[in-house]
Amino acid sequence: MVLANNIKDTALIFEGGGMRASYTAGFVNNMLEDGIYFDYTAGISAGASNTVNYLTRDPGRAKKSFVDIVREPEFGGWRSFFKGEGYFRAHFIYEETPLPGGVLPLDFETFKANPAKVRIGAFEMDSGRMRYFTKADIHSLQDLAKVVRCSSTLPFFMVPTTFRQKTYLDGGLDGGIALDIAKKDGYNKFFVVLTRPKGFRKQPLKVPGLVKFYFREYPHVVDAILNSYLKYNQALDELEQFAEEGKAFLVYPETMPVTSMETDYARLEESYRLGYRQGKRDLLRWREFLGI
């Protein structure tokens, strides 16, 4: 299998956001249908799932990952949360569904064949270090599934994920937008797909005491959670400045009809359709920025 990418000078970055990524999935499928193929893609949390679906060039999976999956009895909910399995049952979502015969089989051969550079960010609990996994870390479908799970493990609502003797939480603890790694990798032009409307900024948590108690054995996690809003807002400020300078194109959802914890199929379906329609309308602007 030979795959080629037609955008070499711009980093594609997917923001996380839980089930808000149903809207983003509509953007993903517009890019795939229009043949917009980036040679560098970075994602965190739900953005990691969008990254993988984009790189496998699988529009069906892109939608099903954030819409149809909620119809699966093993997806999760408060019952599984109180059983200690997490509100989102991560083992099922990330490690069972991608397998051959699973409800969301993942084409690992296409992922490997895609020459694009990959960066998937996760937060290492013990060290407080942000780890960006690359293709060099991924040798099998099981590795890929585990890496995406590491990146997507929401604090409180999901059980921490262990991979190769390290334990991880959601990469959103470090802000949630993989701008830092794209810059470190030498990129100065960015196409960023966001999951919050334009003008949004995060506020400090209202329950810092709960965070300090719950993660009392992990001071790095406490610091990261309490300060993640600052890093997120700083990244957005920087991106908006880049956009003014013509160095970034920021794809904001015009509206956001679901929360990160949404499990209602009809609402997620509508979210996806809104994203798809917006992307279809804005394709010419995307292509103009990308020079294709």
Side-chain angles (χ1 to χ4, degrees), residues 30 34 36 191 249 278-292:
N30 274 287
D34 203 54
I36 298 176
F191 189 90
F249 191 102
Q278 181 183 333
K280 186 65 69 178
R281 186 199 66 209
D282 292 346
L283 269 174
L284 289 179
R285 293 176 57 226
W286 297 1
R287 293 180 70 89
E288 181 180 4
F289 173 79
L290 297 169
I292 58 174

Side-chain angles (χ1 to χ4, degrees), residues 36-141:
I36 298 176
Y37 300 135
F38 289 80
D39 205 44
Y40 180 101
T41 307
I44 290 172
S45 193
S49 292
N50 274 317
T51 291
V52 170
N53 293 332
Y54 171 76
L55 292 175
T56 57
R57 300 185 181 179
D58 190 339
R61 194 176 197 278
K63 180 190 176 190
K64 291 175 182 177
S65 293
F66 293 102
V67 180
D68 301 63
I69 193 170
V70 300
R71 289 179 158 177
E72 298 298 324
E74 296 179 86
F75 177 71
W78 288 115
R79 178 178 293 183
S80 65
F81 176 79
F82 288 116
K83 286 173 64 178
E85 299 173 346
Y87 184 83
F88 298 110
R89 293 190 68 247
H91 187 271
F92 169 74
I93 294 169
Y94 298 104
E95 299 189 55
E96 294 182 22
T97 65
L99 298 174
V103 298
L104 292 173
L106 193 150
D107 186 350
F108 185 68
E109 293 305 312
T110 298
F111 176 83
K112 286 197 303 182
N114 193 319
K117 301 178 184 69
V118 181
R119 303 291 183 265
I120 294 175
F123 185 86
E124 197 174 284
M125 291 183 68
D126 288 323
S127 69
R129 184 172 69 99
M130 189 67 177
R131 169 74 183 273
Y132 280 99
F133 295 97
T134 73
K135 281 189 175 178
D137 302 301
I138 299 167
H139 308 295
S140 65
L141 172 59

Side-chain angles (χ1 to χ4, degrees), residues 63 67-68 264-274:
K63 180 190 176 190
V67 180
D68 301 63
D264 182 84
Y265 173 83
R267 296 188 67 178
L268 291 165
E269 173 77 21
E270 178 62 13
S271 176
Y272 169 81
R273 290 185 180 184
L274 287 170

